[in-house]
Amino acid sequence: MNDIIIGIDLGTTNAEVSIVENGKVRVIADGDSKMLPSFVGIDDNGQVIVGETARNQYLVYPERTIKSIKRQMGQDTHVVLAEQSYTPQEISAIILKRLKSIAENDLGQTVSKAVITVPAYFSDAQRQATREAGEIAGLEVVRMINEPTAAALAYDANQSESKHVLVYDLGGGTFDVSVVNIESGVVEVLSSHGDNQLGGDDFDQQIVDYLLAQIQDTYQVNVRAHSKAMARITRAAEEAKFLLSDQPYAQIEEEYLLEHEGVAIHLSHELSRMAYEEMIDDYINATLDAVHIALKGARFTTADIDEIILVGGSTRTPCIRERLLNEFGFEPHSEVNPNLCVTIGAAIQAAMIAGQEVDTVLVDVTPYTYGTSAIGSLDGSPYPFMYVPIIHKNTVLPSRKSDAFATSYDGQEAVEITLYQGEDPDALNNVKIGEFRVEGLLDVASGNVITLTLALDLNGMLQVSAQEKDTGLEKCIIIKNALSEFEGDALDTAKQRINSLLGQMDPRVIEDQPPEEKTGIIAPEIVAAGELISKAECLFGKVSNEDKEDMSDLIETLKNCIDAKDIQGLDDLTRELQDIIYYLES
Amino acid sequence: MQTPYQILDVAVDANDKAIKQAYLQQVKNNPPDRNQQRFQLIHDTYTSIKDHKSRVAHNLFTLQAADFNTILDKALHTKQVGTTVSAESFNKLLSISMDDTSLLNAFADADNT
């Protein structure tokens, strides 16, 4: 029996998990909900909460609730949650752990592998951060697939006639567009483009800014400093947006938003769909520009497209359908739920990797160009950082491409090779993703040939090697673009940290716990012991081997007691461990 | 060494559509997710013969030396070219004859025969 691999859509606003069983995809529901809101918070009791509860708490305690963490993935930044600082990877890991436990509860067995979807236009750094979030959550990310491609997989691919489909994927935080050819059970991506910082959140923000201006006009109050009022306005804006999908007007009512100099401030405003559509017009234009870039990448015009698939909750905005109808002359499809088709595609891909028979095979492309810099010319003048693309945008993955370069002066014994991601003819305007040096070259005249080879795998991970043609001298690197803080052991530390945070606070997401215990009430002594164990384990790195051994033995015995639910036996042991920790910390 | 036609399991005189179908069939049997290397070979193979232009290029590279010279002669309407043509001189000839339509016609003939 193969390992179970789950399919996860880790969205900006909602996350979902699904699986293929007996050849059919099933989105795994948590209770009666198939979508887990991507909110993480700490509640009144200091417990970690995820999903709907955290989403509700956001209104009251925005300072200890985090939303839309996906927009910060891949950035070297931290978010603060109840006075503790976390990386975006750690927050995403908490959501992933919840999805993992939802799946485990449902399937009645542990799950350790997943296919996770990412926006097609996610950069190297954003992909790497997603992979790290998986690792922290205890999930091996066997493959990352692009969201619009996953959506196309969920679509019936078995007609033998070639069909050109445009996937328009507008989520909470990102926009992707892909042109795919669906034929004889193969989904071939022909081109992809997008914007990894454009989504429904920006639409909400437009409404928020508009409402803030209204309040400013009426009351001369700047609400921005009041986090609770801001959270309520943000939610009201989002709800108004949903209403405007179905009706021409939305009434926004928020009473007692805050008190300002003894005056109670109420928000009451009627927003028309027309006014709203005007606010988001620039964003919609940007998405249509991207659509045309993607069409051009596939060497198509609008007339070559047979069907349009809409993906992502934000595509419910009526003007998007209208604009696409105007551009293409026919209505987009939305038979598959735009919120669920990505997770469904992830599950199909997971099943394929696990070795199950599936109807559809995927061939994807890279949305980015990768290359290096060389002495050359820019706009007709000599320039030392001319961009030399090696793997072009929209190349089928995996791909391996080589190019030859020559040394520029006699006796040159080393070359510096810098790798970039981007399209600009000036390498310095592209994103630098790595560099390395080849030394010990032959002492010969200029023109010594160095072959540079780039290999990009299915996950978008790049491997680079350079070889001196005459000697075979070779050097290579793998570009993972890991954020410096997650090099080496740091990932393990983050994993432990998140484990202990969840372990002591939210028994429902403890790893490897049999499902029947997850709903049961856990004795406070056991919770305290669990806390103590993780505290002790955190000290392991700082103490002598002897102390470590003592603690390990104690922890072992403690764990046995916990397993046996021997509350009385715990008493002495916890005190003993507490003493050691006290002694070590002082 | 297998020819592209053998790798894709398709007739040597197959048209674009048949070659594409053969490629998709191979992809279905060898998904990139199961064996990246095998898929890469299939895809590169397909790219090398997917349309008229790529087949011309492919045929040119795999021509026997004798045929190669015949075509060159035909293309340039000349018997001046020696029996051994180096890559460099061929390159030169090609660039000189860029606007010589008879050369392109000769390539087309090569593909059709």
Side-chain angles (χ1 to χ4, degrees):
Chain A
M1 178 67 203
N2 280 305
D3 276 353
I4 285 187
I5 308 178
I6 50 175
I8 291 179
D9 172 10
L10 184 60
T12 310
T13 324
N14 292 293
E16 300 87 20
V17 56
S18 44
I19 183 134
V20 174
E21 286 167 329
N22 310 319
K24 285 221 168 76
V25 187
R26 182 167 62 91
V27 182
I28 302 175
D30 178 28
D32 52 7
S33 171
K34 286 181 171 175
M35 299 202 291
L36 180 76
S38 306
F39 283 74
V40 174
I42 305 276
D43 74 4
D44 292 337
N45 306 319
Q47 296 215 327
V48 173
I49 48 174
V50 185
E52 197 56 44
T53 9
R55 182 172 181 269
N56 292 333
Q57 174 186 285
Y58 175 69
L59 283 183
V60 207
Y61 301 113
E63 68 282 357
R64 44 181 159 94
T65 316
I66 289 171
K67 63 175 283 198
S68 301
I69 191 64
K70 188 176 181 177
R71 299 201 87 162
Q72 295 175 53
M73 289 293 272
Q75 294 173 16
D76 190 6
T77 174
H78 284 80
V79 291
V80 176
L81 183 62
E83 287 155 17
Q84 288 273 329
S85 164
Y86 299 92
T87 60
Q89 289 92 316
E90 289 174 309
I91 300 298
S92 290
I94 293 174
I95 300 170
L96 286 173
K97 271 196 101 102
R98 169 52 64 83
L99 293 172
K100 178 175 185 272
S101 83
I102 290 172
E104 286 172 344
N105 277 338
D106 179 273
L107 300 167
Q109 69 174 95
T110 52
V111 172
S112 60
K113 292 179 177 178
V115 167
I116 300 182
T117 60
V118 290
Y121 219 57
F122 245 24
S123 69
D124 259 11
Q126 289 170 306
R127 283 168 198 267
Q128 188 57 32
T130 306
R131 177 178 292 278
E132 285 166 356
E135 272 178 53
I136 296 169
L139 282 172
E140 183 197 336
V141 184
V142 292
R143 182 81 76 237
M144 282 182 282
I145 64 169
N146 297 327
E147 285 159 11
T149 321
L153 274 179
Y155 195 79
D156 174 33
N158 259 334
Q159 67 269 350
S160 62
E161 278 301 299
S162 154
K163 211 173 243 183
H164 298 150
V165 178
L166 181 105
V167 186
Y168 180 102
D169 177 0
L170 187 59
T174 56
F175 171 70
D176 280 323
V177 53
S178 289
V179 176
V180 302
N181 178 49
I182 302 181
E183 185 176 359
S184 307
V186 177
V187 172
E188 275 183 292
V189 182
L190 305 176
S191 69
S192 268
H193 197 72
D195 184 335
N196 56 25
Q197 294 295 338
L198 191 169
D201 282 2
D202 298 305
F203 299 180
D204 298 348
Q205 195 53 48
Q206 289 294 312
I207 303 180
V208 168
D209 291 347
Y210 171 78
L211 294 174
L212 290 179
Q214 297 290 323
I215 298 172
Q216 178 82 42
D217 283 353
T218 320
Y219 298 96
Q220 283 78 49
V221 178
N222 183 359
V223 190
R224 283 190 195 278
H226 305 268
S227 60
K228 263 179 218 173
M230 281 301 290
R232 283 179 61 190
I233 293 178
T234 308
R235 177 65 59 85
E238 197 190 334
E239 276 160 9
K241 177 183 77 176
F242 291 152
L243 282 176
L244 291 173
S245 293
D246 298 318
Q247 55 194 52
Y249 294 96
Q251 187 64 33
I252 301 167
E253 297 283 354
E254 290 290 327
E255 298 197 330
Y256 297 101
L257 256 189
L258 58 109
E259 223 182 69
H260 181 67
E261 290 165 0
V263 183
I265 292 179
H266 311 292
L267 171 64
S268 172
H269 191 81
E270 190 188 64
L271 181 65
S272 72
R273 185 190 282 172
M274 226 149 79
Y276 165 62
E277 289 182 347
E278 215 165 279
M279 291 176 200
I280 60 169
D281 200 40
D282 286 349
Y283 292 115
I284 308 295
N285 288 337
T287 67
L288 288 172
D289 289 347
V291 164
H292 285 286
I293 292 173
L295 284 173
K296 208 176 152 204
R299 300 208 180 87
F300 281 174
T301 66
T302 50
D304 294 307
I305 298 296
D306 301 309
E307 284 176 31
I308 301 173
I309 307 180
L310 295 182
V311 187
S314 303
T315 57
R316 293 206 163 87
T317 313
C319 67
I320 291 177
R321 304 182 69 98
E322 283 161 27
R323 294 287 296 273
L324 289 170
L325 173 65
N326 280 343
E327 293 276 328
F328 290 87
F330 55 88
E331 282 266 0
H333 275 268
S334 45
E335 297 99 20
V336 186
N337 182 333
N339 290 108
L340 298 181
C341 53
V342 172
T343 183
I344 290 172
I348 294 174
Q349 192 67 0
M352 131 86 55
I353 293 167
Q356 295 185 41
E357 278 303 314
V358 292
D359 294 337
T360 321
V361 169
L362 170 66
V363 177
D364 211 341
V365 299
T366 167
Y368 289 109
T369 296
Y370 295 90
T372 187
S373 63
I375 299 172
S377 63
L378 186 69
D379 299 329
S381 354
Y383 185 68
F385 300 104
M386 181 181 79
Y387 186 47
V388 184
I390 295 177
I391 292 183
H392 285 268
K393 183 181 166 110
N394 298 329
T395 301
V396 166
L397 294 180
S399 172
R400 179 185 201 78
K401 294 268 156 68
S402 296
D403 207 344
F405 295 86
T407 52
S408 58
Y409 55 88
D410 294 349
Q412 182 172 345
E413 61 90 37
V415 282
E416 298 275 356
I417 295 167
T418 313
L419 284 314
Y420 300 89
Q421 169 188 296
E423 317 287 329
D424 200 289
D426 180 351
L428 301 183
N429 288 339
N430 293 318
V431 181
K432 180 172 156 184
I433 55 168
E435 61 188 331
F436 67 116
R437 196 176 153 85
V438 186
E439 287 172 346
L441 300 179
L442 290 178
D443 183 9
V444 292
S446 69
N448 186 9
V449 174
I450 311 288
T451 312
L452 186 65
T453 304
L454 268 61
L456 194 59
D457 75 6
L458 286 175
N459 293 313
M461 297 293 177
L462 187 66
Q463 190 181 335
V464 187
S465 63
Q467 193 176 46
E468 183 177 36
K469 192 164 169 262
D470 290 344
T471 59
L473 173 74
E474 186 173 318
K475 191 154 179 178
C476 68
I477 52 166
I478 295 170
I479 305 219
K480 286 171 94 184
N481 221 344
L483 296 179
S484 54
E485 64 193 295
F486 274 133
E487 269 165 10
D489 300 338
L491 208 57
D492 285 336
T493 316
K495 192 170 172 176
Q496 268 179 20
R497 188 173 167 219
I498 296 301
N499 268 342
S500 65
L501 179 76
L502 293 172
Q504 45 179 283
M505 291 169 174
D506 188 351
R508 279 171 300 177
V509 279
I510 293 180
E511 221 171 347
D512 301 334
Q513 202 175 347
E516 66 269 20
E517 280 185 25
K518 293 189 178 178
T519 45
I521 297 157
I522 303 222
E525 289 87 348
I526 290 183
V527 176
E531 274 180 46
L532 211 57
I533 289 174
S534 41
K535 203 168 171 186
E537 281 170 346
C538 288
L539 288 171
F540 272 9
K542 300 176 195 157
V543 302
S544 71
N545 278 341
E546 203 178 321
D547 287 334
K548 190 171 157 182
E549 222 163 275
D550 287 350
M551 288 202 291
S552 295
D553 289 349
L554 257 175
I555 289 170
E556 186 84 357
T557 339
L558 261 172
K559 281 182 176 164
N560 288 339
C561 281
I562 294 175
D563 287 346
K565 295 213 176 59
D566 178 5
I567 306 277
Q568 283 173 332
L570 277 176
D571 209 27
D572 285 343
L573 292 167
T574 36
R575 205 167 305 142
E576 207 175 322
L577 187 58
Q578 215 153 17
D579 287 346
I580 297 182
I581 291 175
Y582 178 79
Y583 157 77
L584 287 172
E585 280 185 335
S586 56
Chain B
M1 180 75 187
Q2 281 186 302
T3 70
Y5 300 93
Q6 285 167 336
I7 292 173
L8 294 184
D9 192 17
V10 69
V12 186
D13 57 355
N15 61 14
D16 289 10
K17 203 171 172 191
I19 291 174
K20 172 95 194 198
Q21 281 304 320
Y23 162 68
L24 292 175
Q25 196 50 50
Q26 289 294 329
V27 172
K28 263 214 105 166
N29 297 337
N30 302 277
D33 287 279
R34 299 232 176 107
N35 187 341
Q36 298 204 24
Q37 270 187 330
R38 176 76 197 161
F39 168 76
Q40 218 170 330
L41 172 71
I42 291 166
H43 182 262
D44 290 346
T45 303
Y46 169 62
T47 316
S48 72
I49 57 166
K50 69 173 181 174
D51 53 20
H52 181 73
K53 189 181 160 196
S54 53
R55 285 193 293 272
V56 169
H58 176 261
N59 291 348
L60 259 181
F61 276 108
T62 49
L63 275 179
Q64 301 290 329
D67 297 341
F68 187 80
N69 284 322
T70 319
I71 289 180
L72 259 186
D73 292 347
K74 226 173 131 185
L76 302 174
H77 295 293
T78 167
K79 297 284 174 192
Q80 304 297 312
V81 184
T83 44
T84 51
V85 180
S86 71
E88 281 86 4
S89 55
F90 179 58
N91 234 333
K92 245 178 240 164
L93 282 170
L94 264 186
S95 42
I96 297 167
S97 322
M98 277 307 255
D99 47 352
D100 183 347
T101 46
S102 61
L103 179 69
L104 296 171
N105 291 338
F107 285 174
D109 287 349
D111 190 48
N112 291 335
T113 50

